[in-house]
Amino acid sequence: MIYDLSRADRQHRAIVNEKPAPVLQSKRCACGARAFAKQLAQHGKCAACQFTDRAAALLPEDLEILHHMLGATPHHAMARWGFRNEYLVNRRDLPSIERLAAAGFVRAGQPLLQLQYFHATSAGCKLAGLSAKRVEVALLLGVAQ
């Protein structure tokens, strides 16, 4: 049927059936930061607000465990933070580790007898205050374990 039409008619039909180009509007989160429209539609917040909400759900002892896991403690130089990325959980620390894992800041590693090793994720390294270079080092250590 379309080949029965002249070339001008086919071009006219193609123009009529053409969809309009998508309109790209910048979207802003409630905090004022720019965010992808899809992300705002799915989550209602930008990535920074989501990260802040996950971190706000943690207790101070959870952050202490995370800092210890990464060697990000005051008695180590900041330039060396991230020299380790493992933590062997005992029963006393299990609720804290479960909160960290639920927030996505740590992941489970190898089991050892009846205990479990945990390793920090990139979000956990960021929360602990590691620089980008030290995050890479810590993540490589977490993979190697």
Side-chain angles (χ1 to χ4, degrees):
M1 175 176 164
I2 196 162
Y3 296 107
D4 296 339
L5 303 173
S6 69
R7 180 177 179 163
D9 288 338
R10 287 195 310 264
Q11 286 178 343
H12 177 70
R13 280 199 176 178
I15 291 171
V16 169
N17 292 333
E18 190 175 272
K19 294 181 182 176
V23 178
L24 301 176
Q25 296 177 354
S26 63
K27 301 286 182 180
R28 292 201 178 266
C29 179
C31 68
R34 289 179 185 250
F36 294 113
K38 183 177 181 180
Q39 183 178 31
L40 291 176
Q42 287 178 345
H43 305 288
K45 299 179 181 179
C46 65
C49 289
Q50 291 175 35
F51 182 83
T52 304
D53 289 347
R54 291 186 320 184
L58 301 177
L59 299 176
E61 56 265 17
D62 303 344
L63 295 176
E64 289 175 11
I65 289 173
L66 184 63
H67 286 138
H68 177 73
M69 180 186 298
L70 293 165
T73 54
H75 62 277
H76 292 108
M78 279 185 77
R80 291 205 54 226
W81 284 7
F83 68 92
R84 66 176 174 232
N85 186 0
E86 64 183 6
Y87 189 77
L88 186 61
V89 178
N90 57 31
R91 288 185 181 97
R92 180 185 69 227
D93 297 333
L94 196 55
S96 292
I97 286 292
E98 287 174 350
R99 283 190 293 272
L100 285 166
F105 295 123
V106 298
R107 62 174 176 76
Q110 294 294 322
L112 178 68
L113 300 175
Q114 295 178 346
L115 302 174
Q116 179 82 41
Y117 273 105
F118 279 84
H119 307 285
T121 62
S122 60
C125 293
K126 181 180 174 184
L127 180 64
L130 273 65
S131 66
K133 181 180 176 185
R134 300 313 298 174
V135 168
E136 286 181 32
V137 171
L139 292 178
L140 286 174
L141 290 173
V143 171
Q145 302 296 326

